[in-house]
Amino acid sequence: MEKIRIKELVEFRTKSSDKSKRNFALKLKTRKVKEKKDDDKNGGGNYWSISNSSIYNTFKNGVDEYYDEKIKDILDRQKNTDSKRDKVMYQRNLDILKSFKEFDILNLRPTNITKFETIHKSVKIITIMNFPIYINPDLVFHFEENGKEFVGALLLLVPQLNGFTKANFGIFCEVLYTFLNKHYSDNYQISEEYCIAIDTFNASKISYIDLINKKAPSLLKSTLDEIKKL
């Protein structure tokens, strides 16, 4: 079975009729494995890399100094292009960066990170309920708390226009937590608070502890159950 991206689970949930859900589920279950060409981020290409790289660097380095420099760079690029497509791309990235200047991403970061993991391509597909689910975390990090070593992770969602609903947003976080539990739970404690997915389009976040505390629904199992039955 070809790997299933999390956004495809979200797409399945948005289908409005039983027929469209059945056809989409059948496609997911029967399509053949393709040759790997690019290890892209959910198929988003480079469209959002300008803004996402600044958000990534801000979180990883723990300093809020990347937004203004990148905003100035994008404004210069936007001014110097005649391409309408590029102007729109630059504007959308600008909108995200301006939102993140007001979004305190550093408050989501543990202060005592001890190291960052290298995430190998071979571990990015995890089996959940016999489905090969693909996830590409932006960062996996270790930190200490009360004398214990924890592992947390950050996943920056490739933006989609209008963002994700709170319910569908949570599916990304559930898969991220499953990824951490599968690969690191033998040696470390998995942080529920710092297992974080961020919808960069809306400058909003969800952590696994939000699912535990019922601030967002847990829909991964029910979604895979439905796909399996169709």
Short mmCIF file of all heavy atoms in Angstrom, two decimals, residues 4 10 54 120:
data_model
loop_
_atom_site.label_atom_id
_atom_site.label_comp_id
_atom_site.label_asym_id
_atom_site.label_seq_id
_atom_site.Cartn_x
_atom_site.Cartn_y
_atom_site.Cartn_z
N ILE A 4 0.24 6.93 3.22
CA ILE A 4 -0.87 7.87 3.31
C ILE A 4 -0.40 9.09 4.09
O ILE A 4 0.11 8.98 5.21
CB ILE A 4 -2.07 7.22 4.03
CG1 ILE A 4 -2.58 6.01 3.22
CG2 ILE A 4 -3.20 8.23 4.23
CD1 ILE A 4 -3.65 5.22 3.93
N VAL A 10 -7.34 13.98 6.45
CA VAL A 10 -8.18 15.17 6.61
C VAL A 10 -9.08 15.34 5.39
O VAL A 10 -10.28 15.65 5.52
CB VAL A 10 -7.30 16.42 6.82
CG1 VAL A 10 -8.14 17.68 6.80
CG2 VAL A 10 -6.54 16.30 8.13
N SER A 54 11.59 30.55 8.57
CA SER A 54 11.77 31.53 9.64
C SER A 54 11.14 31.05 10.94
O SER A 54 11.72 31.24 12.02
CB SER A 54 11.15 32.87 9.22
OG SER A 54 11.83 33.42 8.12
N HIS A 120 15.67 10.42 10.25
CA HIS A 120 16.00 9.71 9.02
C HIS A 120 14.75 9.37 8.21
O HIS A 120 13.67 9.13 8.76
CB HIS A 120 16.78 8.43 9.34
CG HIS A 120 18.09 8.70 10.00
ND1 HIS A 120 19.20 9.16 9.32
CD2 HIS A 120 18.49 8.57 11.31
CE1 HIS A 120 20.21 9.32 10.15
NE2 HIS A 120 19.81 8.97 11.36
#
